[in-house]
Amino acid sequence: MLLKVSFAISQDEYPSLSNNYTKTQLDQLLQKYQNKKDTLGLAYTYWSYAKSEEKQYGLNYSPLTNLRKSMECFLIMKDSANFYNIRGALGSYFMDRPFIKEYAKEYIKSAVDYFRVKNQPISEIGHLVNLANIDIHENNFKNVKEILDRVEMLNKKVKDEAYEGRLHSSYSDYYYRIAKYDESLKHAEISYRVGKKLQIDWLEALSLYVKSKCYDALNNQEERLATLLESQKIVESNSMLIQLQKEVYYEIQNYYFKQKNFQKAYDFMNKARKTTEEIYFSKMESDVRAFSEYNLLEKQRMVVSKIALEKKLADIELDKLLIRQQMYIVLIILAILLIGVLTYAYFSRQRFNRLDAEKVKKNIQIETLRALINGQEIERLRISQELHDGLGTLLSRIKFQTENINTSKDQIAEMIDDACAEVRIISSNLQPNALTQFGLIRSIDDLILKQNSTSPNIIFQHFGKEFEISPESSLMIFRIIQELMTNALKHAEASEILIQIVYQEERTLTITVEDDGKGFDDNKVQPENNGWNNIRSRVNYLHGIITLHSEPTAGTSVTISIPFV
């Protein structure tokens, strides 16, 4: 055996639970793994230590402390399977101690839940039987049948004869407590035979004890005593069964008391009392009580750890909130800066658009003024030509005739009358008298009458109630109509010209000049041709809108809308 241990140590293998180690060997292994700080090695060594103590069969031996240390090491290493196996085993030691039974159920149930989730029936089944036994001992029969049925189902897969014996032992105890004694005896007999066959002392002794309880209930005192005495032999030969030994002594005492054999009843009462004292002062019970205190401390540590964890999580959450708050502040600052930039860009664009619009407006005004000036220059040129060709020629003839002695006064007077008429015509062209005296409509009538032509036929129409227009605007409208009529007379070769003026209620004046002449392509018309530059400049100056539509062989239509708001 020493050679085996030495070989295990040299190969850095952990101790096997199936091997038998001496206390010296186990102490050496503990020292080795403590020096190496090998937590997993310590876990397996403590577990082997506990197994060794279980086999010592003495009241001064207890595996609980080493099982607890092994469980803690497996927990540190996050070895869940071994952790829950030991946790369930610890629970089985607490089942018969009322003051720590709550821990027993908690430990065993946690093991059952873990191995059920992991689908490990061979590990689940043993803990499941113990869970059923706790409910049976507490007379809590609600879930017992369901648990035992699951044990039976799992054991059909596992096919373990020892588990089969434990299952029938639990069934026998269950049926005894619900007063089905015949059923209880049947299962107790099966578990007894399994225990005897596999040499499982506790299963054999417990089966006999339950049978004695059933015989007592059935008032078969002879069989009761026989089973109790047989159970007594087994428990007295195995010190690990001291708890069951105490119960057997009490049952034998009760039997002799009923038989009125008070001496034997007294003897077994003393045996039960001594056994109780031995149990109370044993290392096992001492460890159980210490374990109760350990669990209280463990729960306190868990509460402290939970509070510390919650505080840590709260600190982390607070840090996240601070980081999030800082991010929000940065985003808000960036958003404000972005809004500021966009606002500045918007107003800059608006200012640029205003300046651009003003520039365009000024350019239009400049073009309009330039066109008006050009129109005035053209008008001056026309007047100068009229003065030169008309009035100048007449005055030259008058001078020539006055120097001729043969010219009569009547001829000279006639020539002077012609000169005066020419002056009146030129004056009328500069500022029509009808416009200043009678208004726009009469002045256009007068303009049409002065054409003295029957072809083309000029039709003038006006609609709506006249409203007041400034003399300057009236003169520009007159010149626009005069220019449009002149263009139609010179270029359209029309048979009819229509001139319309419409006074609208919203103080808008609409002018239409149409002819049925040869027309032209309005997409190719040049602004400087046919006086269009003068017309457009005057319309722009009056803030009007001009619409031109002309097609070859289909005539020309010009519509002008001028607001006077």
Side-chain angles (χ1 to χ4, degrees):
M1 183 60 66
L2 288 173
L3 289 174
K4 285 186 178 180
V5 174
S6 300
F7 179 76
I9 293 173
S10 65
Q11 294 296 319
D12 287 331
E13 294 178 355
Y14 297 131
S16 172
L17 299 177
S18 61
N19 290 341
N20 293 319
Y21 301 106
T22 65
K23 185 176 185 303
T24 303
Q25 292 168 341
L26 292 168
D27 287 339
Q28 288 176 355
L29 288 171
L30 285 176
Q31 187 63 45
K32 170 193 170 184
Y33 292 127
Q34 284 171 353
N35 292 338
K36 293 174 65 175
K37 296 182 179 178
D38 187 340
T39 306
L40 194 57
L42 287 172
Y44 280 106
T45 305
Y46 282 128
W47 200 354
S48 296
Y49 225 129
K51 288 288 185 182
S52 176
E53 288 171 330
E54 284 180 349
K55 297 172 184 177
Q56 298 299 320
Y57 300 114
L59 291 175
N60 293 323
Y61 293 93
S62 169
L64 296 184
T65 300
N66 285 315
L67 282 175
R68 176 180 61 79
K69 290 179 179 179
S70 178
M71 181 179 70
E72 290 175 346
C73 290
F74 281 126
L75 179 62
I76 292 170
M77 297 305 297
K78 295 182 170 55
D79 186 340
S80 299
N82 285 323
F83 169 80
Y84 280 108
N85 258 326
I86 296 176
R87 190 174 173 85
L90 281 169
S92 67
Y93 281 102
F94 306 148
M95 288 170 54
D96 298 323
R97 277 79 174 181
F99 63 92
I100 201 171
K101 190 175 287 187
E102 58 177 302
Y103 296 123
K105 192 164 188 177
E106 177 188 335
Y107 278 30
I108 295 171
K109 189 174 187 311
S110 66
V112 168
D113 292 341
Y114 173 80
F115 291 115
R116 182 174 298 181
V117 170
K118 294 297 181 180
N119 193 24
Q120 297 181 17
I122 198 166
S123 297
E124 179 189 349
I125 191 169
H127 302 299
L128 202 57
V129 171
N130 287 335
L131 189 63
N133 287 336
I134 290 175
D135 285 337
I136 291 170
H137 294 168
E138 292 178 345
N139 294 323
N140 180 17
F141 304 125
K142 182 179 179 182
N143 300 316
V144 169
K145 192 69 170 61
E146 181 182 344
I147 295 173
L148 293 178
D149 287 345
R150 179 170 177 81
V151 171
E152 191 171 2
M153 181 269 293
L154 291 175
N155 201 45
K156 286 180 181 178
K157 298 178 181 178
V158 175
K159 296 179 180 178
D160 188 293
E161 196 170 1
Y163 285 144
E164 185 73 18
R166 290 181 62 187
L167 174 64
H168 285 288
S169 174
S170 297
Y171 268 129
S172 67
D173 196 4
Y174 167 67
Y175 284 120
Y176 163 73
R177 292 175 186 266
I178 63 174
K180 291 186 177 182
Y181 305 117
D182 291 335
E183 194 73 19
S184 176
L185 284 169
K186 181 178 71 173
H187 287 284
E189 181 61 27
I190 297 172
S191 64
Y192 169 74
R193 288 201 300 268
V194 172
K196 197 170 185 64
K197 176 183 177 182
L198 300 178
Q199 295 182 349
I200 303 174
D201 289 350
W202 72 263
L203 184 59
E204 189 178 352
L206 182 60
S207 301
L208 291 168
Y209 174 77
V210 175
K211 287 174 73 174
S212 73
K213 300 282 282 185
C214 291
Y215 288 137
D216 183 32
L218 294 171
N219 201 23
N220 188 345
Q221 298 301 320
E222 184 178 348
E223 288 293 336
R224 177 191 182 195
L225 179 61
T227 53
L228 282 173
L229 293 175
E230 189 177 354
S231 180
Q232 178 188 356
K233 292 178 185 178
I234 299 171
V235 296
E236 286 180 344
S237 65
N238 189 335
S239 61
M240 289 300 292
L241 301 180
I242 193 168
Q243 289 282 353
L244 183 57
Q245 181 181 334
K246 178 190 68 172
E247 298 300 327
V248 170
Y249 286 156
Y250 276 126
E251 284 298 314
I252 295 175
Q253 170 206 321
N254 290 334
Y255 168 79
Y256 284 121
F257 187 82
K258 281 185 178 181
Q259 299 298 320
K260 298 184 180 181
N261 189 341
F262 300 115
Q263 181 60 48
K264 284 194 174 183
Y266 178 76
D267 292 340
F268 278 96
M269 182 186 70
N270 280 334
K271 286 184 178 183
R273 179 181 56 78
K274 288 180 181 179
T275 305
T276 303
E277 290 175 355
E278 288 177 5
I279 291 171
Y280 184 81
F281 293 108
S282 69
K283 188 169 189 314
M284 176 72 76
E285 289 301 307
S286 176
D287 281 358
V288 169
R289 290 191 291 271
F291 206 93
S292 178
E293 296 173 0
Y294 163 80
N295 272 280
L296 291 174
L297 293 173
E298 187 65 21
K299 287 195 172 182
Q300 290 175 355
R301 283 198 297 270
M302 288 177 65
V303 171
V304 171
S305 299
K306 184 178 178 182
I307 293 171
L309 179 61
E310 289 176 350
K311 182 180 181 299
K312 187 176 180 180
L313 292 174
D315 290 340
I316 293 171
E317 192 64 27
L318 181 61
D319 290 339
K320 287 181 180 179
L321 288 173
L322 290 174
I323 292 170
R324 198 176 296 135
Q325 186 180 38
Q326 291 171 355
M327 288 178 62
Y328 288 155
I329 291 171
V330 171
L331 289 174
I332 290 170
I333 293 172
L334 290 175
I336 291 172
L337 290 174
L338 180 61
I339 291 170
V341 170
L342 292 175
T343 303
Y344 176 77
Y346 173 78
F347 284 110
S348 297
R349 184 66 184 174
Q350 290 291 97
R351 184 169 173 271
F352 175 79
N353 290 339
R354 285 198 302 271
L355 292 174
D356 191 52
E358 290 177 3
K359 180 180 177 182
V360 171
K361 185 177 179 181
K362 289 184 182 297
N363 288 336
I364 292 172
Q365 289 176 349
I366 290 169
E367 291 296 325
T368 301
L369 291 173
R370 186 179 290 119
L372 289 174
I373 291 170
N374 289 337
Q376 291 174 353
E377 290 299 323
I378 292 170
E379 192 68 18
R380 288 191 183 97
L381 180 60
R382 185 182 62 78
I383 293 169
S384 67
Q385 287 177 348
E386 288 180 354
L387 289 173
H388 179 271
D389 296 340
L391 185 60
T393 301
L394 285 172
L395 291 175
S396 296
R397 286 178 61 195
I398 291 171
K399 179 181 177 185
F400 175 76
Q401 292 296 333
T402 55
E403 291 176 352
N404 188 353
I405 57 174
N406 295 323
T407 303
S408 64
K409 292 182 179 179
D410 292 337
Q411 288 178 329
I412 292 172
E414 185 180 352
M415 293 174 66
I416 291 172
D417 289 338
D418 290 340
C420 290
E422 188 70 24
V423 170
R424 284 194 296 273
I425 292 170
I426 294 171
S427 175
S428 176
N429 287 334
L430 286 173
Q431 181 68 44
N433 290 329
L435 185 63
T436 56
Q437 293 179 9
F438 305 108
L440 180 61
I441 300 301
R442 289 289 296 276
S443 66
I444 294 173
D445 278 332
D446 186 58
L447 175 65
I448 292 170
L449 288 173
K450 286 180 180 179
Q451 296 303 317
N452 294 324
S453 66
T454 57
S455 181
N457 179 29
I458 301 175
I459 302 171
F460 174 57
Q461 299 173 342
H462 57 90
F463 305 96
K465 185 178 180 181
E466 292 186 45
F467 47 77
E468 186 179 352
I469 301 174
S470 66
E472 180 185 8
S473 298
S474 296
L475 179 59
M476 286 193 176
I477 292 169
F478 177 83
R479 294 301 183 195
I480 290 169
I481 294 173
Q482 185 182 34
E483 191 69 41
L484 289 171
M485 187 178 70
T486 300
N487 285 342
L489 291 170
K490 286 183 179 181
H491 307 292
E493 300 178 6
S495 60
E496 184 176 272
I497 299 173
L498 173 64
I499 300 172
Q500 284 184 343
I501 294 179
V502 179
Y503 291 91
Q504 297 178 355
E505 292 183 359
E506 60 271 17
R507 289 184 61 81
T508 299
L509 187 68
T510 301
I511 302 165
T512 302
V513 178
E514 295 180 350
D515 66 69
D516 59 356
K518 61 184 181 180
F520 57 90
D521 187 353
D522 55 3
N523 293 320
K524 297 181 179 179
V525 64
Q526 298 298 321
E528 62 273 11
N529 292 345
N530 301 322
W532 279 111
N533 198 20
N534 288 336
I535 295 171
R536 290 184 190 280
S537 63
R538 287 187 170 98
V539 171
N540 289 337
Y541 185 81
L542 294 172
H543 305 291
I545 299 172
I546 183 170
T547 304
L548 169 64
H549 179 70
S550 181
E551 295 180 8
T553 71
T556 301
S557 174
V558 179
T559 301
I560 299 169
S561 180
I562 301 171
F564 290 96
V565 180

